[in-house]
Amino acid sequence: MKRPNILLTGTPGVGKTTLGKEIALRTDFTYINVGDMAKEGELYEGFDEEYECPILDEDRVIDEMEDKMKDGGVIVDYHSCDFFPERWFNIVFVLRTENSFLYNRLENRGYKGKKLQDNIQCEIFQTIYEEAMSSYKEEIVHQLPSNTPEDMERNLDQIMQWVEQWIKDNN
Ligand code: ADP
Ligand code: MG
C-alpha cells in the first residue's frame, strides 16, 4: 500500500513535535524529528555563534533520510524546509501561532534576548511559510493555526482525513 509523506514545518514553538507525535500515534507512520536525528548523529558542519545553534550538515541529513522517504508513510518535523528534495513530500503543513502564545511558549522553553526576538520575528514575517511556498508546489502547502488545544484537535482530524483520502486515491 502506498502512503504519503508529510512535512510539518514552522517557527520553533508552533507545535510541530506535539502534532507530529500525535499523528504517529494514530497511524502506522514513522515520525522523524530532524533536529533530534541531527543531534544523535552529530550531523553538523559548524556552530552559528549569532543564533547560538549548530549548523546542520544538510547533505548528510538528506543521505540519512533518503531510504526511509522512498517507502512513504513518513512524518517529518523541522523548522526549516528549503533543503529537502521537493519530490519527498506529498503535502506540507506550516503551523502558525499568534505572537502572544508563541512568546510564552518560547520563554517557557528558556529562550530569551535575541534568540527569542528572532524567532518571534520569524513568525511575524511568515518566513517559513514563504520558504515553503517557494520550495514546494503552492497547492500542496497549507497553513494550520496552532494557538490552542482545540486548534490541535482540528488539525489532527483534518490531517487524518486527508491521509485516508490520499490512500484511497493512490492505491
Ligand atoms: P515545535 O516542535 O514546533 O517547536 P512543540 O510541539 O514542542 O513545538 O510545542 C511547543 C509548546 O507549545 C509545547 O509546550 C506544547 O505543549 C505547546 N503547544 C503546541 N501546540 C499547541 C497548541 N495547538 N495549543 C496549545 N499549546 C500548544
Ligand atoms: Mg519540535
Side-chain angles (χ1 to χ4, degrees), residues 30-42:
T30 305
Y31 166 79
I32 299 181
N33 186 314
V34 175
D36 288 351
M37 192 190 86
K39 202 173 188 175
E40 277 159 30
E42 290 182 45

Side-chain angles (χ1 to χ4, degrees), residues 11-19 77 105 109 146-149 151-152:
T11 308
V14 293
K16 302 177 294 295
T17 302
T18 311
L19 182 64
D77 165 353
R105 290 184 203 167
R109 192 181 267 187
S146 180
N147 298 304
T148 63
D151 286 341
M152 155 111 168

Side-chain angles (χ1 to χ4, degrees), residues 2-171:
K2 280 210 292 184
R3 294 173 307 165
N5 287 329
I6 299 170
L7 175 60
L8 300 179
T9 191
T11 308
V14 293
K16 302 177 294 295
T17 302
T18 311
L19 182 64
K21 287 185 172 168
E22 202 59 41
I23 301 168
L25 281 177
R26 298 198 191 186
T27 58
D28 55 357
F29 282 37
T30 305
Y31 166 79
I32 299 181
N33 186 314
V34 175
D36 288 351
M37 192 190 86
K39 202 173 188 175
E40 277 159 30
E42 290 182 45
L43 306 175
Y44 299 132
E45 56 175 17
F47 191 82
D48 188 321
E49 299 292 344
E50 190 184 351
Y51 292 97
E52 300 167 46
C53 63
I55 301 163
L56 211 65
D57 185 336
E58 297 172 350
D59 293 338
R60 279 163 70 210
V61 166
I62 288 168
D63 283 350
E64 179 97 9
M65 292 171 70
E66 184 75 64
D67 281 349
K68 292 188 194 101
M69 301 307 292
K70 273 187 200 132
D71 299 337
V74 182
I75 306 153
V76 173
D77 165 353
Y78 198 54
H79 59 258
S80 161
C81 62
D82 57 358
F83 65 93
F84 300 121
E86 189 191 346
R87 64 187 153 78
W88 275 2
F89 296 106
N90 303 99
I91 198 158
V92 177
F93 293 107
V94 184
L95 274 62
R96 302 300 310 274
T97 301
E98 285 163 27
N99 285 326
S100 52
F101 293 104
L102 189 62
Y103 195 96
N104 287 332
R105 290 184 203 167
L106 292 176
E107 228 181 11
N108 285 337
R109 192 181 267 187
Y111 285 24
K112 46 185 182 296
K114 181 169 163 52
K115 189 165 181 173
L116 178 56
Q117 294 307 330
D118 285 345
N119 280 293
I120 295 291
Q121 278 209 8
C122 173
E123 187 59 11
I124 294 173
F125 293 145
Q126 49 183 47
T127 309
I128 310 301
Y129 177 59
E130 280 171 19
E131 187 179 316
M133 290 289 275
S134 60
S135 306
Y136 301 91
K137 287 200 193 78
E138 293 189 3
E139 60 267 30
I140 73 158
V141 178
H142 304 274
Q143 299 193 78
L144 295 174
S146 180
N147 298 304
T148 63
E150 292 73 33
D151 286 341
M152 155 111 168
E153 282 307 314
R154 201 176 310 119
N155 294 336
L156 257 174
D157 289 345
Q158 217 178 304
I159 293 172
M160 295 306 299
Q161 274 183 28
W162 179 85
V163 167
E164 267 179 43
Q165 193 60 49
W166 191 96
I167 290 172
K168 272 188 204 152
D169 293 345
N170 291 275
N171 287 281

